[in-house]
Amino acid sequence: MKYKFLLLMINMSAALLLHLVAAQHEDIPYQHVTNICETCTCLSAQDSNHRLHQTLNCAMKNFQHILARWPSEFGTDHRGMEIVASYSGNNIRLLQQLPATRAVLTLSCRHCGMQQLQAPLFMDVPNVEGLYLSWNEIGDDALKPELFRGPFNTTKYEPIALKDLELSHNRISRLDRKLFEHTPQLRKLALAHNRLSVLDAATTAALASITSLQRLDLSHNGLLTLPAELFSHLGNLQFLDVSGNEFALVPASIQQLGKSLLQLNLAGNPLPKIGAESFRNLVALRRLNISELPMLRSIEQGALQLPALEQLDCARNPKLERLEFNNLLHSRNLTQLDISQNALSSLSPNVSEDANSTSSWPRLKKFAIAGNRWYCSCDLFKALEHAGAPQVLQSLDAVARCETPYLLAGMPLTNLTSEQICNMVIPKKYRAVEDDPPRFLRRRYIILTVIIASIVVVAGLIIGFVVVCVRRRLKGNDFGVQPIRYTSVRGSNLSAFSQLQPVSVTSKFNNAAAAAKTGAPNA
Ligand SMILES: *[C@@H]1O[C@H](CO)[C@@H](O)[C@H](O)[C@H]1NC(C)=O
Ligand SMILES: *[C@@H]1O[C@H](CO)[C@@H](O)[C@H](O)[C@H]1NC(C)=O
Ligand SMILES: *[C@@H]1O[C@H](CO)[C@@H](O)[C@H](O)[C@H]1NC(C)=O
Ligand SMILES: *[C@@H]1O[C@H](CO)[C@@H](O)[C@H](O)[C@H]1NC(C)=O
Ligand SMILES: *[C@@H]1O[C@H](CO)[C@@H](O)[C@H](O)[C@H]1NC(C)=O
Ligand SMILES: *[C@@H]1O[C@H](CO)[C@@H](O)[C@H](O)[C@H]1NC(C)=O
């Protein structure tokens, strides 16, 4: 009797186990394949630690569902095994619950046209570590917290081991506040090319809850800013990609990542300037990408004082005319510097003051400067040589050329040395270009104005003097003309007026009349 009962129990548990291994949701069919490893590709490899790595490649098989079970070739006990499964390029609209396994699982289903995910996905796959679902049609409703629920254990759901989640190129505009409550080990999250233009309170809370996060990709979402609450608990974040968004200011919240952040990508944002405080506190930052900023005109003094910086990508900023080269001298570990395709004409003229006989960047290996409007001055060449040119100058694809002075226009920078330039005597007719034209012109203009003004004043004085002299002389000759005196018609007395005329005038008129009389016959 007892024996029979035990047998029954064993049978039941075996059935239960089988049931678990097989699909749980029989209402929705799984992909039917009789011999999995003939339809898909199965690969098995063992590493040096005798760990089995199984690969199941079902990419582009025109499947509509995932498989209900793992290939029998993988054995029955998957413990200590790693499975990499790919269903990419199929037409799987609904991702169903995964067949049970204790193996460490990485699953990809990119380009699957996926819209729905069945919750919970990983009830029987607690060791899932990677889930790659980019290039699908996943919207907000598809992402529920229950999705990532692990196995139920007495009172609660166990967390799953998910470390790497890729949801780029989908249709996500917001996240559930509790979406990541079952994934405490999540390290990498990619949400690039979605619709997260505004991170609302729930979305911010969801992201802020992933305290283990090391890499976050929020690029190409139309983001206007990053909320202050986003990073306050993300003390492990090392890589942040916010390129291709709509930032008009470098989000101040980035400063909260001071101790941890190693890489920051801000490329492709409409930033008009990078303020002095933009990267304050980022003492660990090693790589910074501020390329392809179409509006960027200035990087303020002090903005690029980043002690740990190793790689700066500041290229293809068509309006950038000034770069505080001096600030970069603080980055002793700099190995790669790309300032090509900007509108730079000089490097900060102060560079030679700080310059030491030893290079500021002993590790610099690559230095790209092509595609700028270089004004080939002595200062520029001193700065370049200080940086380690020409050894570090990258001249593989594009050649850096002088644009000014006229004498050197078009000359590759690598053909010139500071010795040549600093000792070069520029002929007088080219020298005007070298001086600061507005100032020079202004001085000349002022001098000219002063000269003209003094000529005018002197001429005025002379004319005035001459006029006075002439008047004096006329008066002396008794040829002065009395000013006309107006009198009112009522009070006027014409006879009295004629009587009032000075004698000299009347006598002169009489004389003139007499002269006319006498002169008439002569004429
Ligand atoms: C279930 O929970 C208990 C106590 O929290 C824990 O000791 C045990 O390892 C858990 N079991 C599994 C399978 O995770
Ligand atoms: C910087 O960003 C631009 C634009 O996204 C990209 O083309 C470039 O490769 C990036 N540079 C580095 C070093 O990652
Ligand atoms: C420069 O690099 C060295 C070795 O990689 C490292 O020990 C040092 O801390 C770095 N300097 C800064 C300022 O980060
Ligand atoms: C040169 O550097 C000093 C401080 O080191 C600064 O005050 C000055 O403005 C700089 N001049 C130019 C032209 O950048
Ligand atoms: C030059 O560098 C040495 C160490 O490399 C330093 O002690 C010295 O102060 C520097 N001189 C100047 C003028 O910066
Ligand atoms: C620059 O130097 C190279 C090799 O030294 C030479 O072939 C080239 O003609 C030079 N270019 C100019 C414009 O002087």
Side-chain angles (χ1 to χ4, degrees):
M1 187 64 187
K2 254 184 184 171
Y3 174 75
K4 260 190 182 172
F5 180 69
L6 210 71
L7 211 73
L8 195 76
M9 282 290 287
I10 288 167
N11 271 346
M12 266 174 70
S13 48
L16 198 78
L17 214 80
L18 259 170
H19 183 77
L20 273 174
V21 168
Q24 279 85 355
H25 291 261
E26 261 138 48
D27 45 329
I28 312 162
Y30 279 71
Q31 190 69 39
H32 177 73
V33 171
T34 37
N35 199 335
I36 295 170
C37 288
E38 271 173 24
T39 308
C40 303
T41 312
C42 303
L43 280 173
S44 183
Q46 205 164 23
D47 67 14
S48 49
N49 296 331
H50 300 286
R51 193 169 178 214
L52 262 178
H53 296 261
Q54 307 282 10
T55 308
L56 173 66
N57 186 358
C58 299
M60 295 192 280
K61 298 291 174 204
N62 216 5
F63 283 1
Q64 307 214 309
H65 306 278
I66 58 166
L67 296 164
R69 51 183 58 80
W70 300 106
S72 52
E73 283 85 344
F74 290 2
T76 47
D77 186 10
H78 293 171
R79 242 168 287 198
M81 185 190 282
E82 192 192 341
I83 298 178
V84 176
S86 171
Y87 286 99
S88 295
N90 287 292
N91 188 21
I92 299 174
R93 303 238 138 209
L94 168 72
L95 183 64
Q96 288 158 269
Q97 190 176 349
L98 279 106
T101 178
R102 285 271 149 191
V104 169
L105 176 69
T106 301
L107 180 85
S108 50
C109 196
R110 300 180 176 114
H111 295 279
C112 280
M114 190 183 298
Q115 293 174 340
Q116 299 281 318
L117 299 115
Q118 193 176 50
L121 277 175
F122 304 110
M123 180 96 125
D124 304 317
V125 193
N127 296 327
V128 59
E129 288 194 353
L131 181 63
Y132 308 112
L133 302 178
S134 22
W135 298 97
N136 283 299
E137 294 161 25
I138 299 169
D140 302 341
D141 298 338
L143 297 174
K144 303 182 202 78
E146 307 88 69
L147 218 54
F148 300 128
R149 224 160 60 183
F152 190 75
N153 179 4
T154 53
T155 55
K156 60 177 175 59
Y157 294 103
E158 292 286 326
I160 57 172
L162 195 64
K163 292 186 171 69
D164 192 354
L165 177 60
E166 201 183 82
L167 289 167
S168 298
H169 292 275
N170 277 291
R171 297 176 181 173
I172 301 161
S173 61
R174 59 179 303 279
L175 300 173
D176 191 294
R177 191 179 289 272
K178 293 186 168 176
L179 185 61
F180 302 108
E181 67 175 348
H182 301 293
T183 59
Q185 299 185 53
L186 197 61
R187 287 192 214 142
K188 269 175 82 175
L189 177 62
L191 286 164
H193 291 274
N194 276 290
R195 298 169 183 177
L196 295 163
S197 55
V198 175
L199 297 182
D200 63 15
T203 309
T204 305
L207 294 172
S209 72
I210 322 170
T211 51
S212 53
L213 204 61
Q214 293 177 1
R215 287 175 182 259
L216 178 60
D217 185 353
L218 290 172
S219 62
H220 299 278
N221 270 288
L223 280 169
L224 295 166
T225 189
L226 296 173
E229 305 80 38
L230 186 60
F231 297 127
S232 45
H233 301 298
L234 303 188
N236 294 304
L237 199 64
Q238 297 176 348
F239 305 87
L240 178 64
D241 190 347
V242 283
S243 59
N245 281 300
E246 299 293 330
F247 295 151
L249 279 172
V250 177
S253 46
I254 289 176
Q255 293 172 18
Q256 295 173 33
L257 299 170
K259 292 194 187 71
S260 63
L261 199 65
L262 302 178
Q263 270 187 42
L264 174 62
N265 191 345
L266 276 167
N269 278 288
L271 295 167
K273 72 163 188 182
I274 291 178
E277 304 282 285
S278 298
F279 306 128
R280 206 181 55 178
N281 302 335
L282 300 187
V283 290
L285 196 68
R286 291 193 199 145
R287 287 174 65 167
L288 175 63
N289 191 340
I290 44 172
S291 292
E292 291 170 32
L293 305 174
M295 317 284 263
L296 188 68
R297 285 186 184 277
S298 69
I299 298 175
E300 284 182 2
Q301 164 75 18
L304 294 180
Q305 276 181 18
L306 300 163
L309 197 67
E310 290 172 11
Q311 185 177 341
L312 176 67
D313 203 336
C314 178
R316 303 176 295 283
N317 300 312
K319 293 183 183 169
L320 184 64
E321 290 178 358
R322 196 171 161 80
L323 181 78
E324 294 297 339
F325 202 63
N326 280 354
N327 290 172
L328 288 173
L329 299 178
H330 295 261
S331 312
R332 295 282 300 170
N333 279 355
L334 205 66
T335 55
Q336 286 187 44
L337 180 55
D338 186 353
I339 53 168
S340 61
Q341 315 293 336
N342 296 315
L344 301 171
S345 59
S346 65
L347 297 172
S348 202
N350 261 357
V351 74
S352 42
E353 287 171 24
D354 259 5
N356 219 324
S357 54
T358 56
S359 168
S360 291
W361 301 313
R363 299 182 189 183
L364 193 67
K365 288 185 183 66
K366 267 168 71 178
F367 188 15
I369 59 167
N372 282 289
R373 304 177 189 157
W374 294 119
Y375 168 57
C376 287
S377 65
C378 182
D379 282 332
L380 177 71
F381 278 84
K382 276 190 180 154
L384 290 177
E385 276 174 22
H386 183 61
Q391 290 80 15
V392 294
L393 282 183
Q394 210 182 15
S395 55
L396 303 167
D397 43 351
V399 181
R401 294 175 193 277
C402 306
E403 189 164 303
T404 48
Y406 181 71
L407 199 61
L408 298 173
M411 184 76 97
L413 261 74
T414 42
N415 279 34
L416 302 164
T417 63
S418 71
E419 210 178 334
Q420 276 177 295
I421 300 297
C422 298
N423 296 328
M424 193 169 68
V425 180
I426 297 176
K428 235 180 188 151
K429 60 174 172 172
Y430 298 120
R431 219 175 275 168
V433 184
E434 204 182 9
D435 284 330
D436 202 6
R439 248 170 73 193
F440 177 72
L441 275 178
R442 210 186 304 151
R443 219 162 71 201
R444 190 183 193 180
Y445 180 73
I446 287 168
I447 292 166
L448 221 74
T449 310
V450 165
I451 290 171
I452 290 169
S454 27
I455 288 171
V456 165
V457 166
V458 167
L461 283 173
I462 290 169
I463 289 166
F465 186 72
V466 166
V467 165
V468 168
C469 283
V470 166
R471 272 191 67 173
R472 284 251 172 92
R473 191 165 295 171
L474 284 177
K475 257 187 183 165
N477 288 350
D478 261 348
F479 215 80
V481 178
Q482 282 281 326
I484 298 163
R485 263 185 271 158
Y486 296 97
T487 48
S488 69
V489 176
R490 227 191 299 153
S492 78
N493 187 332
L494 280 169
S495 58
F497 179 72
S498 55
Q499 274 169 16
L500 267 169
Q501 287 217 328
V503 190
S504 60
V505 174
T506 26
S507 65
K508 271 222 165 88
F509 273 116
N510 294 341
N511 288 351
K517 267 178 197 161
T518 51
N522 294 349

